[in-house]
Amino acid sequence: MAVEGSHGNEGLLLGKPAEEPEQPITENSLLEILDGIVMMYNLSVHQQLGKMVGVSDDVNEYALALKDTEEKMSRCPKRRRDIYDELVKSQKVFSEKLNHLSRRLAWINVTIYSKEKMQDIYWLLQVCIRTIEHGDRIGSLFAFMPEFYLSVVMNSYSALKNYFSPVNSMEDLPGEEEGTGEDL
């Protein structure tokens, strides 16, 4: 009687494909992982961070629209009940939408623009800067430097400076004094 997982399927019991021999993690595989992280930030993460800023803009727009509607309600002549009723409907829509967006913005600030996420982006920025500096020191800065590393440096710095709330500011990051960017 054969034991399940035998006959060339030993890898299935170990949680890895049978055809792949066990290989230690090498420097090259870690560099490939790092390249993947940097590329993923470049291709999608930064754009998503930027889209989240749009929620804050929407909150501001709805707050202004609500204020404007309430001012119009206060100036509306009493004899124009039809206009007043429409303004009340608009006020209700703006208020509900503002409430929804405010909750969403609070969730975004706690989860996406958290101190931990800020530190992750700062780590990525530092890795990219060190990679660029290393390429410069060995004289092959642009010979082997993927262009997306330069984009990630610019975009991650911009995200740290512009997207995170004042509660999580760049001055709180290691090596940042007075927001001078001395370590950058």
Side-chain angles (χ1 to χ4, degrees), residues 61 63-91 94:
E61 287 178 24
L64 288 174
L66 181 61
K67 182 180 176 186
D68 184 51
T69 301
E70 289 170 347
E71 287 174 2
K72 288 178 181 176
M73 289 171 65
S74 68
R75 293 190 318 257
C76 184
K78 294 197 188 288
R79 67 181 186 283
R80 295 303 312 257
R81 188 71 185 169
D82 58 331
I83 294 174
Y84 186 80
D85 290 343
E86 289 302 314
L87 288 170
V88 168
K89 288 178 188 175
S90 295
Q91 178 191 32
F94 291 144

Side-chain angles (χ1 to χ4, degrees), residues 128-179:
C128 290
I129 288 173
R130 277 183 259 151
T131 302
I132 292 168
E133 288 172 343
H134 178 72
D136 187 40
R137 275 194 307 277
I138 63 172
S140 62
L141 178 58
F142 296 109
F144 298 104
M145 177 66 56
E147 179 182 325
F148 60 86
Y149 271 72
L150 300 172
S151 295
V152 168
V153 167
M154 293 181 292
N155 289 336
S156 60
Y157 182 80
S158 171
L160 290 169
K161 204 70 168 157
N162 301 314
Y163 294 166
F164 288 86
S165 71
V167 174
N168 298 318
S169 69
M170 283 188 71
E171 287 78 21
D172 296 335
L173 295 170
E176 285 299 305
E177 281 80 33
E178 309 285 325

Side-chain angles (χ1 to χ4, degrees), residues 41 45-57 104-121 155-156 158-169 172:
Y41 181 86
V45 174
H46 186 74
Q47 287 79 9
Q48 291 302 315
L49 288 172
K51 286 180 183 178
M52 297 301 138
V53 172
V55 174
S56 178
D57 295 341
R104 185 171 179 206
L105 184 61
W107 179 84
I108 287 169
N109 283 332
V110 169
T111 58
I112 296 173
Y113 293 124
S114 68
K115 185 172 183 119
E116 293 78 22
K117 300 291 190 272
M118 185 177 194
Q119 290 170 340
D120 290 345
I121 293 174
N155 289 336
S156 60
S158 171
L160 290 169
K161 204 70 168 157
N162 301 314
Y163 294 166
F164 288 86
S165 71
V167 174
N168 298 318
S169 69
D172 296 335

Side-chain angles (χ1 to χ4, degrees), residues 25-68:
I25 295 179
T26 64
E27 186 176 329
N28 284 342
S29 62
L30 290 176
L31 290 174
E32 289 173 4
I33 291 170
L34 180 62
D35 278 349
I37 291 168
V38 174
M39 188 179 299
M40 184 171 55
Y41 181 86
N42 185 55
L43 294 175
S44 65
V45 174
H46 186 74
Q47 287 79 9
Q48 291 302 315
L49 288 172
K51 286 180 183 178
M52 297 301 138
V53 172
V55 174
S56 178
D57 295 341
D58 290 346
V59 166
N60 291 332
E61 287 178 24
Y62 276 97
L64 288 174
L66 181 61
K67 182 180 176 186
D68 184 51

